[in-house]
């Protein structure tokens, strides 16, 4: 069964003036669609064709570049759109906020650590907040479209925050200023969505 591009669930200009509409539209309709199309091509007629995206990633042969890049790209962007949903964004609070304070010292210290992961990723990749199987929180980053579900990623559970630090995610609006883009991410993140993901993984 072929994979499909998930609907954004909000308009391309919904994150203005922080994330611009043109970038959002190109990012969703060209980049993400491209990963979906290339993933479908890569798995067509293979044993992966009837597997879920999570199963493909967890069992991935890391030497299979086409599936690695495009299954990762599809999963990563799907999470990204979800946590950028502008509806009922909420604030960082509740059990997740407490766990972040406990793990990193403070919310500000967490944001600094996450920004450092995003800034130190040379070239293209992603920064993550992962919930490990034991419920602990970890910040890390991956290159290209690698994903924390892939073998050897260092995350034993699932990411609940992913930030795209490919230039295609920010160049039109922020040019080379990745730090400004990372800083702006905190203005558009939907903490309610992230919190729900955290609770589902730790209950
Ligand atoms: Mn992207």
């Amino acid at each position: 069964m072929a994979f499909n591009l998930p609907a954004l669930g909000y308009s391309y200009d919904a994150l203005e003036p922080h994330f611009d509409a043109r970038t959002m539209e190109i990012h969703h309709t060209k980049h993400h669609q491209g990963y979906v199309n290339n993933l479908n091509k890569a798995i067509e007629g293979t044993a992966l064709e009837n597997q879920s995206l999570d199963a493909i990633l967890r069992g991935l042969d890391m030497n299979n570049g086409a599936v690695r890049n495009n299954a990762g790209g599809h999963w990563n962007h799907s999470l990204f759109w979800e946590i950028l949903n502008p509806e009922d964004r909420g604030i960082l609070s509740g059990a997740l906020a407490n766990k972040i304070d406990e793990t990193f010292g403070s919310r500000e210290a967490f944001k600094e650590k996450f920004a450092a992961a995003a800034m130190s990723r040379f070239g293209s990749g992603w920064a993550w907040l992962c919930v490990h199987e034991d419920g602990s929180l970890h910040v890390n980053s991956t290159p290209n479209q690698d994903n924390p579900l892939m073998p050897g990623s260092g995350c034993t559970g699932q990411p609940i925050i992913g930030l795209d630090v490919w230039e295609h995610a920010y160049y039109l609006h922020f040019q080379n200023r990745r730090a400004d883009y990372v800083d702006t991410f905190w203005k558009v993140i939907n903490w309610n969505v992230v919190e729900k993901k955290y609770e589902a993984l730790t209950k």
Side-chain angles (χ1 to χ4, degrees):
M1 218 170 58
F3 291 102
N4 293 305
L5 181 70
L8 203 59
Y10 45 91
S11 61
Y12 292 119
D13 64 3
L15 305 180
E16 294 268 10
H18 306 297
F19 285 6
D20 68 286
R22 182 92 176 114
T23 298
M24 289 296 291
E25 182 170 7
I26 296 170
H27 202 171
H28 183 245
T29 62
K30 305 293 181 195
H31 292 278
H32 190 173
Q33 182 73 65
Y35 298 121
V36 171
N37 294 347
N38 289 326
L39 172 61
N40 286 333
K41 262 183 239 160
I43 62 173
E44 193 179 358
T46 76
L48 300 175
E49 202 172 25
N50 294 310
Q51 289 188 17
S52 70
L53 187 57
D54 280 28
I56 290 174
L57 292 169
R58 290 202 189 275
L60 185 68
D61 167 7
M62 295 296 273
N63 294 315
N64 187 338
V67 175
R68 180 176 176 174
N69 291 333
N70 293 297
H74 180 29
W75 198 102
N76 298 348
H77 288 86
S78 299
L79 173 68
F80 192 48
W81 308 136
E82 210 186 325
I83 64 168
L84 291 177
N85 193 314
E87 200 171 312
D88 193 19
R89 233 174 230 147
I91 55 163
L92 176 54
S93 61
L96 176 60
N98 293 338
K99 186 70 177 177
I100 282 176
D101 288 345
E102 181 195 313
T103 306
F104 302 101
S106 68
R107 287 152 224 204
E108 288 316 306
F110 156 68
K111 286 181 182 176
E112 279 169 27
K113 186 160 188 179
F114 188 91
M119 291 306 296
S120 62
R121 170 52 55 197
F122 182 76
S124 298
W126 289 75
W128 305 101
L129 176 64
C130 279
V131 183
H132 282 210
E133 273 172 352
D134 63 2
S136 60
L137 297 180
H138 299 263
V139 165
N140 71 333
S141 82
T142 56
N144 305 313
Q145 292 298 352
D146 281 2
N147 167 278
L149 272 56
M150 291 177 182
S153 77
C155 177
T156 63
Q158 283 216 36
I160 56 174
I161 297 176
L163 175 62
D164 190 343
V165 296
W166 284 57
E167 281 190 345
H168 70 224
Y170 62 86
Y171 204 85
L172 285 181
H173 188 67
F174 296 94
Q175 290 80 49
N176 62 320
R177 303 187 312 274
R178 187 188 285 188
D180 291 351
Y181 163 71
V182 173
D183 207 41
T184 301
F185 174 58
W186 302 121
K187 295 181 180 159
V188 289
I189 189 170
N190 187 318
W191 284 113
N192 283 334
V193 169
V194 175
E195 169 92 24
K196 279 195 190 94
K197 288 181 176 293
Y198 174 73
E199 283 170 3
L201 290 168
T202 53
K203 72 180 173 208

